Every structure is written in C-alpha cells, then in structure tokens.
C-alpha cells in the first residue's frame, strides 16, 4: 500500500541531525523557553521576513492568541465580526468563537479553493474588524484585491498559514502578507514538528509583546501577571527539531512542487478536476486535491490499486454539530467542494515509481 503520508520516511533523511538536536536539548538542562525557542523564533521570523515570531503550543493557539491580543489592545471587542472562508478547517473558526467574536462565512473561489475576494465587500458591516484568510492546501489565499478592500474599510488581515510554510506572493512569504499570521507545525505540515507546535509572526511590536505575554500566563516577568493568559509555549525540544527541518524547507517544498507538476502534466482523466497551479512559488502543495462527482468510487478504485487517500474535509464547518445554528444555512460552493474533493498522496520522500503508480491508477478510473 502506498501510504497517504509516510512521516517516518519523510523524517529519515534528517535522522542524524534530529538526534543531535535532541541530544543538545537534553544536555542543556533548559527545557522551557530556552535558547532553542529563542533561536527558532529568530530564524523563522527571518525566513518569513518579519520582525517578530512568537512560538506557541500549536497552530490553533497561534491564531486564537492573535485575536485575543487584538482584544487586549482594544482593536477588537466581543461581538465584532471577522470574515473567514466557509470551506476552511474548523480550527480557523474556533479561533474566532473562542474569543467571542462572530465568524462571517464567505464562499471560496471554486478554482482556487481559497476565499473569493470579489465577495468580501458585500459582507463588510460596521462590526467587521478583520479578514482571516486561509492559504488552503498550501496555496496563497491573499491577493492585492483583498489588501485593497482591507485598507478601504480599515480591516486587519490575519493569515492562517498552517498549510503554506514558504509559499511566496510577489516576493513576500506567508507570514508577512497580513498584519499577523498563525502557523501550525503539526507533523504533517510542510514544516512539521515531531508533535504539536505553532508560531505567530508579525511586524507589529505591540501585538508581539502582548502575544508573548498571553502565551505564558499573561506574564512578561515571572510571577507578575498583567492579564489572564494561557499556557501555550513552544516546547524547547520541538523548537530544536524545527530548526533542523527549517534548513531543508525550501528544498522539500520544491520536491513537492515537482511531484505536483507530474500529477498536473500526466493525469489526463477527464472525470477528475485537477487543482489550479498558478504561479509555482505561490503553492507549496501541502495537499494535492482533485475533485470528482464519483469521489467514493475513485477512493475505492485507488484503494484497490494499493493507494491510500484522504478527504480534506468531508463535512464543512456550517454542517458540524458544533455549530448547530448554521446547520440550515446553504453555502453551495463550499458544499460542492466538501462533497467532491479527494487528496492524493504527495510528500517529499515519495519515489518516482510510487508517483507513476498513482498517475496510472487515476488515468484508469472510469
């Protein structure tokens, strides 16, 4: 069976470097907010092209703390609205509701799966304070049009960069396109830890200072708490491992791009709608997602050919029991996406033979 993602194989090529990093942390005797975290924050911030990077316990906390910090700074208040893609993973929306702000769902563009910027202005009200854009599947979800709308209406732009580490828009990387960004380093991400981890990036020094305090019980000085914060600190060990993998991120992104280009070039089955590539650097191909009305049949066909696939995501947020008030609402483009998408295996350690088998199986589907 060709696995959807082989993390062991993906990490094998860094094995010795990871062991060395692990050993250094053990020998340091410092395991919380030490030199490895500070070094990774600086290195990742530099990589993204921003002044500040603040490590957090996971990606959800990263975005939640951004919104919480804007509340602490008086920029947001409870009941304010944030525009967000209707087809995102539920975590993006939870970051809004956790802060008691209101998510306003906006349909995606069916070609890119990212938020449709042409619909944004229709959703803006006097309560709208931000656009939370998601770089879904690894493709940039920001545009100049979005930036112009935000500027016109005085809105913040927050990036959910959980799937798009290293993607580039007009010379700028994710994490530097909006006012602040939250990244996840969940193991399957383009830059994946060996556990949970996240980070906030921003050029806003005031925001960075508040986020840094909030992640550590609301404390800037030990035992002195300025606000009611949380415990969401990037682990020293994960920071050390991420420093190793950051050095290889661009190379790994390029390997995934090459695999995606083979899929785009060689899968010729008209029953499958292939993703739009666009400018190559704008996509890091966290996921390669095809669409078909015969999704279940395609998944079964690929499984019979020894290929594991996954669905990202089978149930849209507005149909989840967690959001019962939305269950009767209709977002037809979102629903079409969630009902027809299937993710093919795509990771940097795949062999040419595995890629060929997947392409042949896709082309033989009828």
């Amino acid at each position: 069976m060709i696995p959807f993602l082989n993390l062991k194989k993906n990490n094998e090529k860094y094995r010795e470097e990871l062991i060395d990093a692990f050993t250094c942390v053990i020998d340091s005797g410092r395991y919380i907010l030490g030199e490895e975290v500070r070094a990774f924050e600086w290195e990742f911030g530099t990589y993204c092209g921003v002044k500040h990077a603040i490590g957090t316990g996971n990606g959800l906390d990263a975005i939640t703390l951004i919104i919480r910090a804007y509340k602490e700074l008086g920029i947001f208040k409870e009941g304010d609205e944030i525009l967000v893609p209707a087809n995102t993973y539920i975590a993006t929306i939870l970051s809004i509701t956790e802060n008691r702000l209101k998510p306003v769902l906006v349909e995606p563009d069916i070609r890119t799966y990212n938020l449709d910027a042409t619909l944004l202005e229709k959703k803006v009200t006097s309560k709208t304070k931000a656009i939370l854009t998601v770089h879904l599947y690894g493709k940039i979800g920001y545009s100049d049009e979005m930036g112009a709308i935000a500027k016109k209406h005085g809105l913040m732009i927050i990036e959910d960069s959980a799937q798009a580490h290293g993607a580039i828009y007009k010379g700028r990387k994710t994490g530097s396109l909006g006012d602040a960004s939250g990244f996840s380093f969940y193991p399957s991400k383009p830059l994946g830890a060996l556990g949970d981890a996240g980070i906030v990036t921003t050029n806003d020094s005031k925001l960075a200072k508040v986020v840094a305090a909030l992640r550590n019980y609301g404390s800037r000085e030990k035992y002195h708490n300025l606000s009611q914060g949380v415990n969401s600190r990037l682990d020293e060990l994960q920071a050390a491992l991420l420093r190793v993998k950051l050095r290889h991120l661009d190379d790994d992104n390029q390997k995934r791009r090459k695999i995606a280009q083979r899929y785009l070039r060689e899968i010729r089955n008209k029953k499958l709608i292939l993703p739009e590539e666009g400018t190559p650097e704008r996509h890091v191909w966290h996921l390669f997602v095809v669409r078909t009305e015969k999704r279940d049949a395609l998944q079964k066909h690929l499984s019979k050919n020894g290929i594991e696939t996954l669905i990202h995501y089978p149930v849209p947020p507005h149909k989840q029991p967690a959001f019962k008030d939305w269950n009767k609402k209709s977002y037809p483009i979102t629903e079409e996406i969630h009902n027809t998408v299937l993710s093919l295996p795509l990771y940097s350690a795949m062999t040419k033979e595995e890629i060929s088998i997947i392409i042949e199986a896709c082309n033989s589907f009828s």
Side-chain angles (χ1 to χ4, degrees):
M1 174 70 76
I2 298 173
F4 177 75
L5 173 62
N6 189 331
L7 286 174
K8 180 180 178 181
K9 189 176 177 183
N10 248 10
N11 288 317
E12 183 65 31
K13 54 185 175 288
Y14 321 124
R15 181 179 178 84
E16 295 306 318
E17 292 178 85
L18 293 172
I19 290 172
D20 288 346
F22 187 92
T23 303
C24 285
V25 173
I26 293 174
D27 292 346
S28 74
R30 179 72 185 270
Y31 307 127
I32 300 291
L33 294 182
E35 291 300 321
E36 295 293 342
V37 168
R38 283 191 286 272
F40 177 68
E41 288 175 334
W42 184 85
E43 290 166 3
F44 191 74
T46 300
Y47 176 83
C48 293
V50 295
K51 296 177 183 176
H52 307 284
I54 308 98
T56 62
N58 55 70
L60 172 57
D61 283 358
I63 304 176
T64 302
L65 288 173
I66 290 170
I67 299 172
R68 171 79 184 277
Y70 278 134
K71 287 176 67 180
E72 295 280 335
L73 291 167
I75 296 171
F76 296 167
K77 64 180 184 300
E78 290 186 14
D80 282 344
E81 297 173 352
I82 295 182
L83 308 183
V84 63
N87 64 316
T88 187
Y89 182 57
I90 196 170
T92 315
I93 294 169
L94 292 175
S95 71
I96 302 171
T97 57
E98 176 66 18
N99 283 290
R100 298 184 181 179
L101 273 70
K102 180 181 177 182
V104 176
L105 305 184
V106 182
E107 286 268 59
D109 184 327
I110 193 67
R111 299 167 301 172
T112 66
Y113 307 126
N114 281 323
L115 195 153
D116 188 342
T118 66
L119 303 177
L120 283 171
E121 207 152 15
K122 300 173 186 176
K123 297 284 187 176
V124 175
T125 73
S126 60
K127 291 186 176 182
T128 308
K129 292 297 185 293
I131 301 167
L132 206 177
T133 188
V134 181
H135 308 306
L136 196 65
Y137 307 150
K139 186 180 180 70
I140 294 282
Y142 172 86
S143 65
D144 289 341
E145 183 179 6
M146 179 184 294
I149 291 169
K151 185 176 181 180
K152 177 180 177 181
H153 295 280
L155 308 178
M156 313 301 292
I157 294 181
I158 302 170
E159 300 172 68
D160 181 338
S161 301
Q163 301 183 3
H165 315 65
I168 300 171
Y169 180 79
K170 295 185 176 180
R172 297 159 59 200
K173 288 192 177 81
T174 50
S176 69
L177 300 172
D179 296 283
S181 177
F183 286 85
S184 166
F185 300 120
Y186 186 77
S188 65
K189 305 299 185 184
L191 180 59
L194 273 66
D196 265 323
I199 207 164
V200 171
T201 59
T202 184
N203 283 313
D204 186 333
S205 298
K206 290 182 179 178
L207 180 74
K209 188 177 291 186
V210 175
V211 170
L214 287 172
R215 71 163 178 188
N216 190 33
Y217 303 105
S219 172
R220 295 177 190 168
E221 180 184 352
K222 195 169 184 178
Y223 302 131
H224 295 270
N225 303 81
L226 301 177
S227 57
Q228 298 178 32
V230 298
N231 178 4
S232 182
R233 301 173 298 214
L234 175 60
D235 186 80
E236 188 77 356
L237 178 58
Q238 296 300 341
L241 302 177
L242 285 165
R243 291 184 68 197
V244 170
K245 297 185 72 175
L246 179 59
R247 297 195 289 268
H248 301 278
L249 176 58
D250 287 341
D251 182 55
D252 281 349
N253 282 346
Q254 195 58 29
K255 287 177 181 176
R256 284 198 310 279
R257 287 188 181 109
K258 288 181 178 179
I259 296 169
Q261 286 163 4
R262 272 202 69 188
Y263 284 160
L264 291 169
R265 187 171 60 248
E266 298 179 35
I267 295 175
R268 302 187 183 92
N269 192 327
K270 298 298 183 182
K271 291 184 173 62
L272 275 60
I273 299 173
L274 303 183
E276 180 187 77
E277 180 181 27
T279 308
E281 65 269 17
R282 291 181 62 179
H283 209 321
V284 296
W285 298 101
H286 169 57
L287 297 172
F288 190 96
V289 179
V290 301
R291 283 194 296 120
T292 176
E293 293 180 359
K294 297 182 176 181
R295 186 199 30 219
D296 292 347
L298 174 62
Q299 189 170 40
K300 186 178 292 186
H301 169 79
L302 294 175
S303 180
K304 285 182 178 179
N305 281 272
I307 301 163
E308 182 185 21
T309 58
L310 293 179
I311 299 171
H312 296 88
Y313 305 96
V315 184
H318 70 281
K319 294 298 184 182
Q320 296 284 358
F323 293 111
K324 292 179 181 177
D325 292 344
W326 293 348
N327 287 175
K328 293 183 179 179
K329 292 187 176 182
S330 176
Y331 295 90
I333 296 175
T334 292
E335 289 161 20
E336 180 179 344
I337 290 170
H338 285 261
N339 289 333
T340 59
V341 291
L342 187 68
S343 300
L344 304 182
L346 197 164
Y347 56 94
S348 62
M350 290 180 72
T351 67
K352 291 180 180 179
E353 291 73 22
E354 288 173 330
I355 299 164
S356 295
I357 290 169
I358 292 166
I359 291 168
E360 289 170 11
C362 286
N363 285 333
S364 67
F365 174 65
S366 59

